[in-house]
């Protein structure tokens, strides 16, 4: 019986460690824009509504508004439509240029989920 409890506890501990290390920290756009250097080389997650988007040949950028501010997200897998509610994770970069436009501070998308409208 003790062996079963130890295996169960070890499994729970391993799953918790995996979840904590696999999940990026969810933050707000206002925090990213206030101190982008703090988030450099870290994966972050934000949830918001797409306000604007530009795309061509499967690449593009879309602006997301989480209620605290707006930030451009660059992607290599197509852009979501305006008004879509999305959760996105990625890395923060400064001075990003795309299609002749400078987007300033951006989030380079590594994953995206549509959460509904």
């Amino acid at each position: 019986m003790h062996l079963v409890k130890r295996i169960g506890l070890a499994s729970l501990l391993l799953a918790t460690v995996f979840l904590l290390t696999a999940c990026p920290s969810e933050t707000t756009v206002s925090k990213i824009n206030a101190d982008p250097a703090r988030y450099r080389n870290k994966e972050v997650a934000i949830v918001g509504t797409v306000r604007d988007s530009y795309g061509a040949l499967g690449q593009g950028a879309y602006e997301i508004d989480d209620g605290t501010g707006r930030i451009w997200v660059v992607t290599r897998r197509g852009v979501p439509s305006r008004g879509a509610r999305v959760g996105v994770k990625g890395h923060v970069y400064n001075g990003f240029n795309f299609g002749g436009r400078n987007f300033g501070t951006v989030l380079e998308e590594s994953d995206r989920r549509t959460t509904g409208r």
Side-chain angles (χ1 to χ4, degrees), residues 11-117:
S11 297
L12 180 61
L13 181 61
L14 184 60
T16 301
V17 169
F18 175 73
L19 288 174
L20 291 176
T21 58
C23 296
S25 61
E26 187 171 328
T27 189
T28 64
V29 172
S30 64
K31 288 179 182 177
I32 294 170
N33 286 333
D35 189 7
R38 176 178 178 206
Y39 297 96
R40 189 177 307 129
N41 296 325
K42 293 181 183 173
E43 190 171 52
V44 298
I46 56 175
V47 177
T49 303
V50 176
R51 296 296 178 205
D52 205 356
S53 62
Y54 302 95
L57 303 173
Q59 297 186 32
Y62 58 96
E63 188 178 39
I64 189 170
D65 181 345
D66 74 346
T68 69
R70 294 181 179 200
I71 192 168
W72 283 94
V73 179
V74 294
T75 182
R76 291 186 177 94
R77 61 179 200 134
V79 295
S81 60
R82 290 180 184 156
R85 183 101 172 131
V86 297
V88 62
K89 67 179 178 178
H91 291 85
V92 176
Y93 292 99
N94 289 328
F96 185 83
N97 292 301
F98 177 78
R101 286 185 66 182
N102 185 327
F103 290 92
T105 300
V106 300
L107 184 69
E108 184 177 31
E109 177 187 274
S110 60
D111 193 21
R112 176 187 346 138
R113 307 270 187 236
T114 302
T115 62
R117 288 186 179 227

